[in-house]
């Protein structure tokens, strides 16, 4: 709205908890630099970042089998494990990321409403960079380097809905600070 004139209306949709919904959880996180424990040597330049999330949920609607739906777009279990190395302008990182099954949508199907679930999925990402000078850094990033894809299904894993394929992506570049 500018000068009292409404220019356009944009619809916004989001998940809403609603009455009777529960979403609880626990998150654990650790960041460990081996250099905090080892003064010298190769291992002193390595570290690990890790997190784990457990968040069970129960939605307000039942599926066609009378079972409570989970909260939409929530995975009960997620975890990430990152190993890293840093020394003399060299920085390397590899990350494993996991997400358990999640309710993607409730879809109209033959005979009633069918839930669409995304199957558990995991990805591996990696990055490498080198500081040529204090102002210039060269880098190589790899996303989904194992070429994992997302599988979706109705009610159970034998009823395939569709798949999303995501190729591994690599970026080579340079960053400069002026």
């Amino acid at each position: 709205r500018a000068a009292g004139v409404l220019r356009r209306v944009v619809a916004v949709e989001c998940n809403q908890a609603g009455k009777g919904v529960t979403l609880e959880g626990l998150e654990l996180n650790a960041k460990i630099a081996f250099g905090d424990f080892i003064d010298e040597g190769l291992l002193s330049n390595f570290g690990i970042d890790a997190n784990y999330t457990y968040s069970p949920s129960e939605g307000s609607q039942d599926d066609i089998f009378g079972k409570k739906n989970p909260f939409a777009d929530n995975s009960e279990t997620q975890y990430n494990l990152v190993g890293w190395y840093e020394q003399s302008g060299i920085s390397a990182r590899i990350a494993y990321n996991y997400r358990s099954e999640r309710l993607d949508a409730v879809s109209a199907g033959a005979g009633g409403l069918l839930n669409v679930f995304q199957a558990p999925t995991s990805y591996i990402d990696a990055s490498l960079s080198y500081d040529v000078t204090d102002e210039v850094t060269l880098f190589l990033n790899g996303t989904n380097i194992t070429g994992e894809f997302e599988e979706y299904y109705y009610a159970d894993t034998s009823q395939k809905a569709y798949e999303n394929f995501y190729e591994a992506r690599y970026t080579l570049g340079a960053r400069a600070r002026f």
Side-chain angles (χ1 to χ4, degrees), residues 89 91 128-133 136-140 172-176:
S91 181
L128 177 65
S129 67
Y130 175 66
D131 294 334
V132 178
T133 67
V136 177
T137 301
L138 302 177
F139 66 88
L140 172 64
L172 177 64
R175 286 186 292 270

Side-chain angles (χ1 to χ4, degrees), residues 16-31:
Q16 184 176 1
K19 186 177 182 181
V21 172
T22 61
L23 177 61
E24 301 173 334
L26 169 72
E27 182 173 355
L28 303 173
N29 187 7
K31 294 181 178 283

